[in-house]
Amino acid sequence: MGTPIAVVGMAVRAPGGIADLDAYWSAILHARDLTGDLPADRRDAFGAAWDGMVTRGGYLDAAFDFDPKFFGIAPKEARVLDPQHRLLLEVAWEAFEHAAIPVAAVAASTGVFVGITGRDYWQWLSGDPNSYWTIGNGHAFAAGRVAYTLGLGGPVFALDTACSSSLVSVHTACRALAADDCDMALAGGVNLVLAPGTTRAVAQTGALSPQGRSRPFDADANGFVRGEGCGLLLLKRLADARRDRDRVLAVIGGTGINHDGRTATFTTPNVSAQAGLIDTVLAAAGVSARDVGYHEAHGTGTPLGDPAELEAVVAALGRRDGRPLYVGSVKGNLGHTESAAGVLGLVKAVLCLHHRTIAPQANYRALNPRVDLSGTGIEIPGSPVPWDDRLGPCASTSSYGMSGTNAFAVLSPAPPPEPGAAVPAPRGFPVSAATPGALAELAGRYAAHLAALPGADYPAFASTATGGRTRLKHAVWVEAADPGGAATALAALAAGETHPAVRALGADEPVPVPPGRAVVSLPGYPWQRGTYLSAPA
C-alpha cells in the first residue's frame, strides 16, 4: 500500500448560495437541483453575445464580491484580479479554519495544488494594461497567490487537464505528501463562467443539454449545463494527523491518473483506460472492488460519456455476490463545474462516508436505456441509503478530462481518534477578526451557535476557538465557564455593548491554551465583501 492521506479540512462554494459544508450536504441529501438562469451581471455585461446559447447553469451568488482588505490587496488590484483567484483565497482560509489549524503554524511546509481552466475574466479587462493584469489572471498565479498571501512554503502547482483538473491536483498533492515534499497540502480547484466565449465553444461540441438540465445516467440525459464552484481539501499524512490529534474526515487510500490514449476521436472516452485505472489504484491501495460501497462518478449526463463510464464501472467494480454498489454524480445538483468538478465530487464522497448515508441522485428518473446494469449489483440511488454493513466500507470517485486525462481516488472512513487526555473545563476563549465590523459579526455567529450547544460540548468549542484559529488584529477574551454565559457575552459584543465577561486583548497579549486538543466545526469567518469588477472591454 501507499501512504494513507488524511482529509483534515474542507471548504466549498457551490451554486444556490452554498458557502459551507452543512449547506452543501443538505442540498445533496435532498437531491436539490441548484441550477438556474444566467445572473444579470454576466448577461448585462455582454448583451447579445449570449443570444442563441443555453445559458441555464449552476451559478454562484455574487461572484464578483470579495474582501480584499483581509488579504492585504488594494482595491485597484482587486478589480482586475480574476474572481477565481479571489475565491481560492477565501476558500483556502476556510479550509484551514475547518481543520482548526492556524496557518502560521504549518505555513513553511504546506503546498498548494489548484485545478483551474477558465480565463474568462480577461474579457472584462479594459483600458491600458498594467502590472496587475498578468499576475491577476494567469493560471500559475492562482496557486502562487494563495501561497504568497498565506506565506506557504511548500510546492505550488496550477494544473489544467480540463474537467479532471481538480482531482489530478488532489492526486499530485497526495504524491507530494508521500514523497515528503511537504507536510500539508491544499488541493482542489475552481471554476467560474464569466463571459460567453467559452460557453459558445462548449456548445459547439454538442455537449450542452438543449433543455438546460444535467441528468446523469437518466433516460432523458442529453448533455450537461455548465456550473461554477470551488472546493479545497487540507491534506496531511495520516500518521501525522493522528499524532497531532487532528480531526480526520476520511482517508485517501490511493489515487491515480492515466490517459485515454489513441481513441476514435480526441474526446472519445476509453472504457478500458478508465477500468484499468480503477483496477490499478485499488490494487495499490489494497482495496478490493467489493470493498467499495459508493462510487461518485464523473457522470456528466452526455449520451456518449455516461454509458462508457458505467461500462468501465461494471468492468472494474461490478459484483455478483449480492452486495450492492451505489453510483451517483453531483453534477445532477450543480451542473458540470469543470475544473472544480473532481474535488466537489470528492467532497460529496467524504460527506457520504462521514454521515454514513449515500445521497440520492438528483435529476434521475429512469436508467439510460443504453446501459444494462442487470446482475452487476450497481444501483443509482433514488432516495437516501443508510451506509450499513451490506455495503463495502469504502468510497471512490472518478474525474475525466476532455483532454483525455483520467483521475481516480479511493477513500476509507476515518479511523477512531487516538486516545488522549480529556480537554479540561475552559475559563473562556478568544474571538478575533481583521476589522471591528467582522469581529461583531463573528461574535453574533458564535453566540447563535453557543445558544444551542450542550454544556458537555463546550470544552471542545473553547479548545477549537483558542488553538484552532489565527489571531487577527481585533481580538477579545470572553471569560465564561459555560455556553449560556458565553452566548450572552457574545450577543452583547455583537450589539456593540460592553459586558463584564468581554475584554480587549493587547496585540501581543498571550491567552491560556488548555492542554489537549479538540476539533469541532465553528461558524466561519464573516467576510466583509464589496463588489470589485472591471467593465468589459
Side-chain angles (χ1 to χ4, degrees):
M1 289 180 62
T3 303
I5 303 298
V7 180
V8 298
M10 304 192 299
V12 298
R13 290 286 194 285
I18 289 174
D20 61 62
L21 293 166
D22 287 343
Y24 189 60
W25 174 244
S26 177
I28 291 169
L29 186 64
H30 293 93
R32 290 176 55 202
D33 183 340
L34 301 171
T35 62
D37 294 333
L38 180 70
D41 51 14
R42 332 289 175 86
R43 183 172 293 282
D44 294 347
F46 293 93
W50 289 106
D51 291 352
M53 287 188 285
V54 175
T55 56
R56 183 180 175 84
Y59 299 105
L60 299 189
D61 291 351
F64 298 99
D65 287 5
F66 182 49
D67 186 355
K69 185 177 180 181
F70 182 90
F71 297 103
I73 297 172
K76 179 181 178 181
E77 183 175 7
R79 281 191 289 273
V80 297
L81 178 61
D82 187 335
Q84 295 180 123
H85 300 203
R86 309 177 200 174
L87 265 178
L88 288 167
L89 287 170
E90 292 185 358
V91 176
W93 187 266
E94 291 167 5
F96 275 103
E97 286 203 335
H98 187 245
I101 297 175
V103 176
V106 295
S109 60
T110 298
V112 183
F113 305 82
V114 170
I116 183 169
T117 298
R119 294 175 180 261
D120 283 1
Y121 200 59
W122 279 108
Q123 298 180 52
W124 287 77
L125 303 181
S126 60
D128 294 328
N130 58 51
S131 61
Y132 295 138
W133 283 32
T134 297
I135 61 174
N137 291 269
H139 282 173
F141 304 105
R145 186 178 293 274
V146 172
Y148 165 78
T149 304
L150 302 185
L152 309 181
V156 176
F157 290 91
L159 298 109
D160 181 359
T161 62
C163 319
S164 57
S165 298
S166 60
L167 197 57
V168 171
S169 295
V170 172
H171 164 77
T172 308
C174 290
R175 288 295 178 92
L177 287 164
D180 293 332
D181 292 337
C182 53
D183 293 327
M184 293 194 69
L186 270 170
V190 65
N191 192 60
L192 289 175
V193 180
L194 301 178
T198 306
T199 298
R200 188 173 298 280
V202 174
Q204 289 171 350
T205 69
L208 294 183
S209 164
Q211 282 73 45
R213 299 285 180 182
S214 290
R215 297 184 176 93
F217 322 119
D218 192 74
D220 293 330
N222 58 2
F224 60 80
V225 297
R226 300 190 71 199
E228 300 181 330
C230 182
L232 288 172
L233 308 180
L234 195 58
L235 305 175
K236 203 171 186 179
R237 290 180 290 272
L238 177 61
D240 294 349
R242 290 173 70 78
R243 176 200 65 204
D244 297 338
R245 297 188 58 78
D246 292 314
R247 176 177 58 180
V248 177
L249 305 168
V251 177
I252 301 176
T255 64
I257 57 175
N258 72 358
H259 194 274
D260 283 334
R262 185 82 175 182
T263 53
T265 70
F266 182 41
T267 59
T268 300
N270 185 329
V271 173
S272 63
Q274 293 179 11
L277 177 61
I278 295 172
D279 289 339
T280 299
V281 174
L282 292 184
V287 175
S288 72
R290 71 187 305 274
D291 291 330
V292 180
Y294 175 69
H295 176 67
E296 173 67 16
H298 186 60
T300 57
T302 56
L304 178 64
D306 280 7
E309 180 174 10
L310 286 176
E311 184 179 345
V313 171
V314 168
L317 296 175
R319 67 282 309 266
R320 301 184 184 279
D321 61 359
R323 200 172 199 182
L325 167 68
Y326 288 93
V327 175
S329 169
V330 77
K331 293 177 181 65
N333 306 92
L334 314 178
H336 188 353
T337 55
E338 300 165 3
S339 49
V343 71
L344 289 172
L346 185 60
V347 170
K348 174 188 170 184
V350 171
L351 292 172
C352 287
L353 277 174
H354 179 71
H355 290 283
R356 307 305 301 156
T357 301
I358 293 169
Q361 178 57 48
N363 275 332
Y364 178 77
R365 179 185 56 82
L367 185 64
N368 187 322
R370 298 177 60 185
V371 175
D372 182 9
L373 296 180
S374 57
T376 67
I378 295 172
E379 300 179 35
I380 312 299
S383 59
V385 179
W387 202 317
D388 55 29
D389 292 340
R390 298 178 306 119
L391 306 178
C394 298
S396 60
T397 186
S398 294
S399 191
Y400 302 132
M402 191 175 285
S403 64
T405 299
N406 307 313
F408 178 81
V410 61
L411 306 166
S412 59
E418 291 284 347
V423 177
R427 290 171 41 197
F429 54 88
V431 185
S432 71
T435 66
L439 179 63
E441 189 172 343
L442 184 59
R445 292 184 180 186
Y446 275 15
H449 180 81
L450 284 163
L453 190 75
D457 295 337
Y458 184 55
F461 172 94
S463 174
T464 302
T466 303
R469 290 291 180 271
T470 296
R471 175 86 166 265
L472 299 172
K473 181 178 180 181
H474 298 272
V476 299
W477 176 260
V478 179
E479 188 85 16
D482 60 78
T488 300
L490 287 165
L493 177 60
E497 302 167 357
T498 59
H499 191 281
V502 179
R503 65 177 179 84
L505 288 169
D508 299 318
E509 182 181 352
V511 298
V513 178
R517 170 168 161 80
V519 178
V520 293
S521 294
L522 304 187
Y525 188 81
W527 303 110
Q528 305 297 289
R529 294 187 179 99
T531 301
Y532 296 86
L533 72 164
S534 178

